[in-house]
Amino acid sequence: MNRIAIVGCDGAGKTALAHRLAALLDLPVINLDAIYYDENWEEKTKDEFAAIQRELAAADRWIVDGNHASTLYIRVNRADTVIFLDVPAWTCLWGIVQRRWRYRGGQYPDGVYDRVTLSFIRYVIGYRRKMRPRIAAVVREHGQHAQCVTLTSRRRVRRFLGSIAAN
C-alpha cells in the first residue's frame, strides 16, 4: 500500500484512519478539505482543485482522505488501495459530535474549519442512500486495478489497522 484513497461520509473517521495508517506505513497524509478551501474558507474552482489533485496523485506515496466525489476519479485512478468507510449515519453523527467537542468548533489544526448546518446534517443522514452508489460507481469504473476495502464499523476499522500492524 503506497497510494491510498480514503472515502466516506463526514464523521466516518477518514482523517483518523489516514493518520493511523500513515504512522504504520510511513506515508504522507493529504486532507482534501485543507486544500479545497483557502484561508478565508472560500472554495477553489473545480478546475483548480482537480489540477492540484492531479499533481498530488502523481507522487509515488500518499494517503488522501476526503470525499469530493466530483474529482474522486483522479485519486482512484492512481490509488493502489481504496478504503471506503461505509458506516451508518448515526456513527458519522456521533463522530461529528466528538470532533465538535474536541475542537470546540472553529478551525482544526490541519486548517479545516468546522461548520455544522442543518443541510450538512441532512447530507450525513442521506449519504448512504445518495452518495454510496455514486462512490461505488466511480470506484468500479476507475479503480479496477486497486485493492478495494469497505469497512462498515469502527470495530472493522480497528481490525483492519490491527492486520496492517501485524504485517
Side-chain angles (χ1 to χ4, degrees):
M1 286 192 282
N2 289 304
R3 293 179 308 279
I4 304 169
I6 302 175
V7 295
C9 187
D10 294 71
K14 295 181 301 294
T15 302
L17 175 59
H19 287 287
R20 288 185 185 120
L21 281 172
L24 291 169
L25 301 171
D26 191 31
L27 293 171
V29 175
I30 301 160
N31 179 288
L32 285 183
D33 282 345
I35 61 171
Y36 183 66
Y37 298 101
D38 69 15
E39 61 279 352
N40 297 317
W41 198 239
E42 299 293 323
E43 300 171 358
K44 290 189 172 54
T45 68
K46 184 178 177 183
D47 291 340
E48 228 181 338
F49 188 51
I52 291 168
Q53 286 183 72
R54 281 188 193 88
E55 184 178 322
L56 293 169
D60 291 332
R61 303 183 80 236
W62 43 261
I63 299 174
V64 176
D65 114 60
N67 275 327
H68 299 277
S70 66
T71 56
L72 176 59
Y73 70 94
I74 295 169
R75 301 180 307 277
V76 171
N77 273 331
R78 282 282 298 148
D80 59 33
T81 306
V82 177
I83 301 172
F84 182 26
L85 294 181
D86 188 19
V87 298
W90 66 267
T91 301
C92 296
L93 292 170
W94 179 242
I96 292 164
V97 167
Q98 289 176 311
R99 181 173 63 204
R100 186 79 178 197
W101 178 257
R102 185 177 312 116
Y103 296 111
R104 305 283 193 254
Q107 199 158 9
Y108 302 153
D110 62 5
V112 177
Y113 187 78
D114 183 23
R115 61 177 181 184
V116 177
T117 63
L118 185 56
S119 64
F120 174 72
I121 299 296
R122 281 192 215 116
Y123 170 80
V124 170
I125 291 169
Y127 183 89
R128 284 179 118 184
R129 183 174 36 84
K130 293 179 182 173
M131 289 303 296
R132 180 185 354 185
R134 247 180 101 186
I135 299 296
V138 171
V139 171
R140 269 192 314 275
E141 183 177 347
H142 298 279
Q144 298 152 345
H145 62 281
Q147 173 190 8
C148 297
V149 178
T150 300
L151 303 170
T152 57
S153 69
R154 299 268 194 249
R155 176 180 285 160
R156 291 206 170 133
V157 169
R158 286 191 298 276
R159 285 183 188 156
F160 175 73
L161 287 167
S163 73
I164 301 295
N167 289 330

